[in-house]
Amino acid sequence: MKIRGAGRIARAAALGLKLAAINYSGKDIVGFKQYISNVAEFLKATRPTAVSLPNAIIFILHRLNTTTSENVEELKRVVINSAEEFIKYSKKATENIGIIGAKRIEDGDSILTHCNSSAALSVIIHAVREGKKIKVYNTETRPKFQGYITARKLLKECIKTTLITDSAVRAFMKKIDKVIVGADTVSANGAVVNKIGTSQIALIAKEANVDFYVAAETYKFSPATVLGEYIIIEERSPKEVIRNLEMPKNINVRNPAFDVTPPEYIDAIITELGIIPPQASILILKEHYGWAIRDYLLNEIFIDEAETTSI
Ligand code: RUB
């Protein structure tokens, strides 16, 4: 939890692989590939929900595994370069989401955001930089209070925000024109996994006829969901919920960190490649992660190469 937000987590994983490659001092190729694969598994196990993490890693591993070279130094370069490429792409993507998403914000809008999402903030910040006068409301985001980070970041950009408790969202929805949140994972059917509480906000927005937008880079789309895999929801320590309060010992506390918002509650997903209806997520996956779906079919389902050509 020292590194938060799906984008930052992905960039940190890419940086981790880059550092691993730099620090490798062995000379044999098999040893290097095994070492990088072990580091990749270690990094992937740090947080289970944000698909940006495995997506950053498979991007680098795919490059490594499709390079034919007998030279360790050359393979190290492949890992380093692909990691740098991913990090650069990720930062640019967040910026582009801001530019594209800001077009949906109108002068005078009141916007609600939840948790702390760089992609959602990028939209708000770009709209303000374009001269649009907007009001922002942001939730505290219990139990880890990422909303405080959001409030601080907005203030740094001289954007005033009103901090509200998560349970006050319905009471404030009549003042809101648009909701913008980030994503940890977007599944093939357009459902979005984001910080716990997001789906409740979407439900309230739907009831009030308020537009609900998700800002998500393409590396937040999950190739494994095309093949039926479920997204694991991180369950965190009960201590985050009860804090230092004296509670009876036998009380049962659950603390899921994320929830799933169905596509019917999402008006659009803002990506760095354009604004899409959530139902078009499968197209993003086929176009940008066709290779990952093929790798998965070849390595885990053991079908042969010829059967994957239509993906
Ligand atoms: C952060 C969170 C964010 C998404 C998107 O959760 O749910 O909304 O990760 O963030 P946590 P970004 O604090 O548990 O990591 O747009 O910055 O990738």
Side-chain angles (χ1 to χ4, degrees):
M1 287 300 282
K2 283 193 181 155
I3 300 167
R4 293 164 173 195
R8 249 179 251 110
I9 290 169
R11 290 194 292 276
L15 181 63
L17 279 180
K18 175 182 160 179
L19 294 176
I22 290 172
N23 290 333
Y24 185 76
S25 55
K27 293 284 167 245
D28 78 297
I29 292 184
V30 177
F32 176 67
K33 285 193 171 170
Q34 189 55 55
Y35 167 70
I36 289 294
S37 155
N38 292 347
V39 174
E41 287 311 310
F42 174 79
L43 289 167
K44 270 201 255 173
T46 52
R47 304 250 348 236
T49 302
V51 76
S52 51
L53 172 65
N55 276 355
I57 290 169
I58 59 169
F59 172 78
I60 298 164
L61 292 190
H62 181 74
R63 287 276 178 86
L64 175 64
N65 294 331
T66 50
T67 304
T68 39
S69 171
E70 295 304 309
N71 181 330
V72 174
E73 286 311 311
E74 201 177 315
L75 293 180
K76 281 169 78 170
R77 232 337 84 217
V78 170
V79 172
I80 295 165
N81 288 348
S82 342
E84 284 172 353
E85 193 184 316
F86 180 86
I87 293 168
K88 196 168 156 207
Y89 182 89
S90 164
K91 288 182 178 163
K92 186 87 186 114
T94 312
E95 184 71 16
N96 287 350
I97 284 176
I99 297 167
I100 295 169
K103 294 183 186 157
R104 290 289 173 105
I105 312 292
E106 287 161 282
D107 196 30
D109 270 352
S110 286
I111 296 168
L112 171 71
T113 189
H114 180 56
C115 194
N116 178 239
S117 158
S118 314
L121 278 179
S122 180
V123 175
I124 297 171
I125 290 168
H126 272 90
V128 171
R129 284 188 190 155
E130 284 171 13
K132 290 171 186 164
K133 298 216 178 350
I134 57 175
K135 266 194 187 158
V136 182
Y137 290 82
N138 82 281
T139 57
E140 279 186 314
T141 318
R142 284 172 186 255
K144 290 291 280 180
F145 299 104
Q146 286 94 331
Y148 293 10
I149 308 172
T150 297
R152 273 197 291 272
K153 284 195 180 154
L154 287 166
L155 284 178
K156 219 171 144 200
E157 290 285 332
C158 300
I159 303 169
K160 270 202 196 143
T161 181
T162 303
L163 190 69
I164 60 172
T165 56
D166 300 7
S167 39
V169 166
R170 191 157 184 258
F172 279 91
M173 194 53 85
K174 53 184 163 307
K175 296 185 189 297
I176 305 295
D177 299 295
K178 276 146 202 160
V179 178
I180 304 177
V181 296
D184 286 85
T185 296
V186 181
S187 79
N189 71 348
V192 167
V193 178
N194 191 49
K195 180 57 55 197
I196 192 80
T198 302
S199 68
Q200 276 176 191
I201 299 175
L203 191 65
I204 296 167
K206 183 96 179 159
E207 180 203 41
N209 217 5
V210 168
D211 289 343
F212 186 92
Y213 291 110
V214 174
E217 302 87 326
T218 48
Y219 54 80
K220 311 243 177 98
F221 289 68
S222 166
T225 58
V226 177
L227 298 151
E229 235 172 65
Y230 284 119
I231 298 155
I232 299 167
I233 302 292
E234 180 178 359
E235 180 102 18
R236 300 189 55 81
S237 164
K239 287 192 188 127
E240 290 179 356
V241 178
I242 53 175
R243 312 184 148 257
N244 299 323
L245 299 174
E246 283 292 322
M247 297 295 267
K249 282 220 165 16
N250 55 359
I251 199 158
N252 189 29
V253 179
R254 295 281 309 270
N255 183 19
F258 301 95
D259 65 18
V260 183
T261 302
E264 307 83 74
Y265 293 86
I266 300 166
D267 287 282
I269 302 180
I270 307 162
T271 79
E272 73 276 20
L273 304 176
I275 299 183
I276 61 161
Q279 292 76 8
S281 298
I282 185 69
L283 302 179
I284 295 273
L285 280 162
K286 282 193 95 173
E287 188 151 337
H288 295 276
Y289 285 96
W291 56 270
I293 298 166
R294 265 191 301 278
D295 279 1
Y296 187 92
L297 287 169
L298 290 170
N299 300 329
E300 298 193 32
I301 315 273
F302 304 113
I303 65 168
D304 59 61
E305 191 94 47
E307 291 177 77
T308 67
T309 47
S310 60
I311 297 168

